[in-house]
Amino acid sequence: MINALTLYELNNMVAEVISSVMPDEYWVEAEISEMRVVNGHCYMELVQKAEDTKTPVARASAKCWRTHWALVKAAFGRVTGRELNTGMKVMMRVHADFHEAYGFSWIVTDINPEYTLGDMARRRREIIARLKEEGVLELQKELVLPLFTQRVAVVSSDNAAGYDDFCNQLHDNGKGLAFTVRLFPAVMQGEATERSVIAALNEIYSRADEFDVVVIIRGGGATSDLSGFDTLSLAENVANFPLPVIVGIGHNRDESVLDMVANQSVKTPTAAAAFLVDRLAAVAAQVDSAAAFVAKYAADMMERENSRIKYLSTVLPSLYATVRNRETSELTQLRDRLYVAVRQTAADERARLGTMPLRLAGAARQSITAGRHRLEMLGQRTVAVDPQRMLSRGYSITLHDGKAVTDASALTDGGILETVLAQGRVVSKIERISKKRR
């Protein structure tokens, strides 16, 4: 017969072995993968991940009883400025506990906040180094806020008091400055922060021409959880965003990576609103100053011109008299010169007309002599080409249809030819025509 132990007896044996073999407390490094608080007790799942693959290589459950949890939580928040949350790497002081009914777990009695601070600082340094390597850490600082920054896109939780504070501060500015605000809701705490804020930024990017500035805000104080704003992906999105980004995520002591890459970083949502109001008020003051300067400049110019007009009204009569006398004298001189010139021209033309008959008579005689000589030459040439004279020398002219024949190929059989002689005419009929040309 086999003697079997009950489960309770077996677990009790394990508990005695663990308590005897591991009676001390140990400091252990781990990452919190899950955490919940029930009735003042904190229940955690711890994990260790491989450095290269980030896959879990060890897991364990841990509990922090209410008597320790209130003190541990307060001390951690006071030192780090953050609440314990999933995804954090922590150093815990634990002792082993095996309960007959609930099994094994590590009992947490303390957490070293300095270790978590160091780990967060290390992660932040790695992200900043990566941003510098990519050359985007200072990109937002190079963007210039528009002079009239009034169209504001806000990334915040839609039911957050910080968003209401921001809107109230912006609209009730006491200076009559107008702003338009459009909310793009996002989760602002916990593991979903990064993904949700990036989704909101993407929506704003698709409508970027409708806004002048992006404001990322959330309420909170020294115990705010900023882990969602210390991520590489969110920092890269903000750094490369085409509009200036103002960050006011409600913290008093820590500076997140998002603060470092933003165009402007302020402590609270109301501070972000005050920054926009003060900047627009400064621009409005500059506009008012410029308007006052222009008005004064115009008034001064009008005063100078009025003085100049008054001065001209006193000196113009004397100037007019002087100019009139000078112009009258010049006109008189011009009239006298013109009179003399006209008389001289008339005398010259009269003398030229007096010699004109003699010149015309000589020119007429010369033209008549030249014309007579030309007519004589033409007469001689006409006599030389007279057909009758050619006929008297023995030549004849053969006509066909009243026209002189110069080409035998143009004649046909049966045609009538008329031959003109010096004395009389001869008519003949064509009977044979040779087609051969000589």
Side-chain angles (χ1 to χ4, degrees):
M1 183 176 178
I2 300 175
N3 293 323
L5 298 173
T6 63
L7 180 59
Y8 179 83
E9 290 173 335
L10 180 61
N11 284 352
N12 190 46
M13 290 175 60
V14 173
E16 291 177 357
V17 170
I18 290 176
S19 63
S20 61
V21 175
M22 303 180 66
D24 300 324
E25 292 188 329
Y26 308 93
W27 285 102
V28 61
E29 300 173 0
E31 179 181 322
I32 302 175
S33 61
E34 296 180 24
M35 187 178 77
R36 67 187 186 280
V37 178
V38 180
N39 296 327
H41 308 299
C42 182
Y43 300 88
M44 293 173 278
E45 294 295 325
L46 305 180
V47 66
Q48 178 183 344
K49 296 179 181 178
E51 291 294 333
D52 51 352
T53 62
K54 301 301 179 182
T55 56
V57 295
R59 294 180 181 275
S61 297
K63 303 180 181 69
C64 187
W65 303 125
R66 133 177 27 179
T67 54
H68 287 92
W69 174 243
L71 298 175
V72 167
K73 177 183 177 182
F76 186 88
R78 188 168 53 252
V79 175
T80 64
R82 302 189 180 188
E83 295 178 353
L84 275 165
N85 210 332
T86 57
M88 282 188 175
K89 291 190 70 174
V90 295
M91 178 184 287
M92 298 178 169
R93 188 168 64 186
V94 300
H95 65 264
D97 177 72
F98 191 90
H99 193 277
E100 292 83 352
Y102 303 108
F104 179 83
S105 66
W106 294 102
I107 305 302
V108 179
T109 59
D110 196 7
I111 296 178
N112 181 3
E114 301 294 340
Y115 173 84
T116 303
L117 277 178
D119 181 67
M120 290 189 297
R122 177 188 58 79
R123 290 173 56 189
R124 185 181 290 116
R125 285 195 301 270
E126 291 175 352
I127 292 174
I128 293 171
R130 177 69 177 275
L131 295 173
K132 287 182 179 179
E133 182 181 345
E134 294 175 357
V136 299
L137 184 64
E138 299 293 331
L139 279 183
Q140 270 285 318
K141 302 294 190 297
E142 297 175 5
L143 297 180
V144 179
L145 283 164
L147 281 178
F148 298 93
T149 304
Q150 297 174 276
R151 303 176 302 166
V152 186
V154 178
V155 179
S156 179
S157 175
D158 54 0
N159 57 0
Y163 174 65
D164 292 336
D165 293 341
F166 174 83
C167 291
N168 292 334
Q169 179 83 8
L170 206 61
H171 295 306
D172 302 334
N173 54 74
K175 300 177 182 180
L177 302 175
F179 295 89
T180 58
V181 178
R182 173 67 186 272
L183 174 65
F184 293 83
V187 176
M188 303 302 287
Q189 186 170 352
E191 295 182 358
T193 299
E194 176 189 63
R195 182 175 63 257
S196 182
V197 173
I198 291 176
L201 289 174
N202 288 338
E203 187 176 354
I204 296 171
Y205 178 80
S206 66
R207 305 166 56 180
D209 57 343
E210 300 178 17
F211 304 102
D212 302 315
V213 67
V214 178
V215 178
I216 302 176
I217 54 174
R218 54 158 284 176
T223 59
S224 298
D225 173 24
L226 302 180
S227 59
F229 302 99
D230 272 338
T231 68
L232 177 63
S233 181
L234 180 55
E236 288 175 333
N237 271 269
V238 171
N240 289 285
F241 206 76
L243 295 176
V245 177
I246 299 174
V247 172
I249 52 179
H251 54 91
N252 293 330
R253 57 188 299 177
D254 280 341
E255 181 184 39
S256 69
V257 174
L258 199 63
D259 290 307
M260 300 181 68
V261 299
N263 183 278
Q264 298 288 334
S265 173
V266 295
K267 295 297 183 183
T268 62
T270 53
F275 172 82
L276 292 174
V277 170
D278 292 344
R279 192 177 188 284
L280 189 58
V283 173
Q286 291 178 357
V287 172
D288 292 341
S289 176
F293 172 80
V294 170
K296 185 177 183 306
Y297 182 77
D300 292 342
M301 282 195 65
M302 290 181 65
E303 185 177 352
R304 288 196 299 270
E305 290 303 314
N306 285 333
S307 299
R308 195 166 73 90
I309 290 173
K310 290 180 180 178
Y311 170 75
L312 290 176
S313 65
T314 58
V315 301
L316 275 179
S318 60
L319 289 176
Y320 171 73
T322 302
V323 172
R324 182 187 61 187
N325 293 336
R326 184 175 64 246
E327 294 300 320
T328 301
S329 175
E330 290 181 357
L331 285 174
T332 300
Q333 294 177 12
L334 181 61
R335 182 196 63 191
D336 293 342
R337 290 199 301 270
L338 184 60
Y339 177 74
V340 172
V342 169
R343 289 190 62 184
Q344 182 63 43
T345 302
D348 294 342
E349 291 301 315
R350 193 178 297 110
R352 192 170 67 83
L353 288 174
T355 61
M356 188 63 72
L358 297 177
R359 292 203 303 272
L360 286 176
R365 286 194 297 271
Q366 184 176 359
S367 178
I368 291 171
T369 301
R372 187 180 295 113
H373 177 69
R374 184 168 176 275
L375 287 175
E376 291 176 355
M377 293 297 295
L378 289 174
Q380 294 175 5
R381 291 161 70 182
T382 301
V383 171
V385 296
D386 185 4
Q388 191 63 38
R389 187 175 180 182
M390 298 296 292
L391 293 174
S392 64
R393 294 180 181 178
Y395 293 96
S396 64
I397 301 174
T398 302
L399 303 176
H400 179 259
D401 292 336
K403 297 180 180 180
V405 177
T406 59
D407 186 358
S409 64
L411 304 176
T412 58
D413 290 343
I416 301 301
L417 296 178
E418 182 180 2
T419 303
V420 180
L421 304 174
Q423 299 295 327
R425 297 172 179 262
V426 176
V427 178
S428 59
K429 182 179 180 181
I430 303 171
E431 293 183 355
R432 292 180 182 175
I433 298 298
S434 175
K435 300 297 183 179
K436 184 177 180 181
R437 295 188 179 183
R438 295 181 178 179

